[in-house]
Amino acid sequence: GESVGLHLPTLSVQEGDNSIINCAYSNSASDYFIWYKQESGKGPQFIIDIRSNMDKRQGQRVTVLLNKTVKHLSLQIAATQPGDSAVYFCAEITWWVSGNTGKLIFGQGTTLQVKP
Amino acid sequence: NAGVTQTPKFQVLKTGQSMTLQCAQDMNHEYMSWYRQDPGMGLRLIHYSVGAGITDQGEVPNGYNVSRSTTEDFPLRLLSAAPSQTSVYFCASSYSIQSDTEAFFGQGTRLTVV
């Protein structure tokens, strides 16, 4: 079935270290993957995205890696800061050209705790 | 630029009551959707719309209705509230649902059904 999941519910890292948050997905037809960050009491915010025809994309301090062979997605945060503490969600978009429609489906989330 | 506005922010309902959660966006986005967020469950898609007059079911549509009469508004209706619908509800909008798009989320509506 269609599902997007994360490997660990909680990740604790030291300030300044690099963080790696993982996600496994099951729908091989997904076209597009996104990472969102959700701070306490707020709605999710877009971090970075990647198309299914790419295997790596870099942003400011963040990198997303996509391995379609094993259906695995990861978010790497360099030099993790206290402000990075949040819940991180991976999400996938599956698009149907015939119906001109699609869905954005989220995984369960990983809580990133940054220790000073 | 207000973005995505959800009202109310908090609501307590009695079992069996009905209500409408409002969602409005001012970005002329075609795609809008509703999610519910429960502890340990992530965000689950309830209903979505790819444009005015077009809606479709998501992962957990039962107990909810939607309509999209305008591009700006996408209300979510609870027909007969149940305790299982206690959750935080998020509305999102984006220019499209195809790639190279960013979904913007509202601040959420915390609903408690007693």
Side-chain angles (χ1 to χ4, degrees):
Chain A
E2 189 179 294
S3 67
V4 181
L6 292 172
H7 294 305
L8 289 175
T10 303
L11 176 66
S12 185
V13 301
Q14 204 70 38
E15 180 179 356
D17 287 352
N18 295 335
S19 302
I20 300 176
I21 300 172
N22 295 306
C23 176
Y25 65 94
S26 62
N27 187 353
S28 57
S30 293
D31 306 298
Y32 183 54
F33 302 89
I34 313 107
W35 282 99
Y36 285 88
K37 173 185 180 183
Q38 186 179 27
E39 296 175 323
S40 181
K42 296 183 179 180
Q45 286 186 299
F46 174 95
I47 302 174
I48 191 168
D49 58 7
I50 188 167
R51 297 188 191 196
S52 59
N53 62 355
M54 301 169 67
D55 53 21
K56 180 179 181 179
R57 192 171 188 197
Q58 287 184 294
Q60 187 177 12
R61 280 201 309 120
V62 294
T63 300
V64 55
L65 300 177
L66 176 63
N67 185 333
K68 293 182 289 294
T69 303
V70 295
K71 298 180 193 171
H72 184 268
L73 190 69
S74 69
L75 177 70
Q76 300 179 358
I77 304 174
T80 312
Q81 302 168 0
D84 295 326
S85 293
V87 180
Y88 290 82
F89 294 96
C90 64
E92 62 179 331
I93 289 179
T94 305
W95 171 258
W96 298 277
V97 175
S98 59
N100 197 33
T101 187
K103 294 192 290 188
L104 174 64
I105 301 295
F106 282 77
Q108 294 188 5
T110 290
T111 299
L112 178 64
Q113 299 173 339
V114 182
K115 297 178 288 186
Chain B
N1 195 350
V4 180
T5 303
Q6 287 184 238
T7 55
K9 287 187 171 55
F10 300 94
Q11 183 71 49
V12 179
L13 287 179
K14 293 182 178 178
T15 298
Q17 286 185 316
S18 63
M19 79 159 293
T20 299
L21 278 63
Q22 301 291 344
C23 177
Q25 52 89 10
D26 60 359
M27 297 172 281
N28 201 30
H29 285 170
E30 289 295 325
Y31 188 86
M32 297 185 74
S33 51
W34 276 102
Y35 294 86
R36 60 176 290 173
Q37 185 172 29
D38 304 294
M41 300 292 289
L43 288 96
R44 292 182 291 170
L45 181 64
I46 304 172
H47 285 285
Y48 62 100
S49 169
V50 298
I54 306 169
T55 64
D56 209 342
Q57 296 182 346
E59 302 170 282
V60 288
N62 292 341
Y64 307 96
N65 274 0
V66 292
S67 60
R68 185 90 181 273
S69 56
T70 67
T71 299
E72 294 78 19
D73 300 298
F74 191 43
L76 178 72
R77 297 182 186 85
L78 280 71
L79 307 174
S80 177
S84 61
Q85 293 179 303
T86 294
S87 186
V88 180
Y89 291 84
F90 287 100
C91 177
S93 77
S94 57
Y95 178 72
S96 78
I97 193 56
Q98 298 186 69
S99 59
D100 296 323
T101 187
E102 175 182 346
F104 294 84
F105 284 80
Q107 291 296 299
T109 296
R110 186 173 294 273
L111 176 68
T112 302
V113 183
V114 297

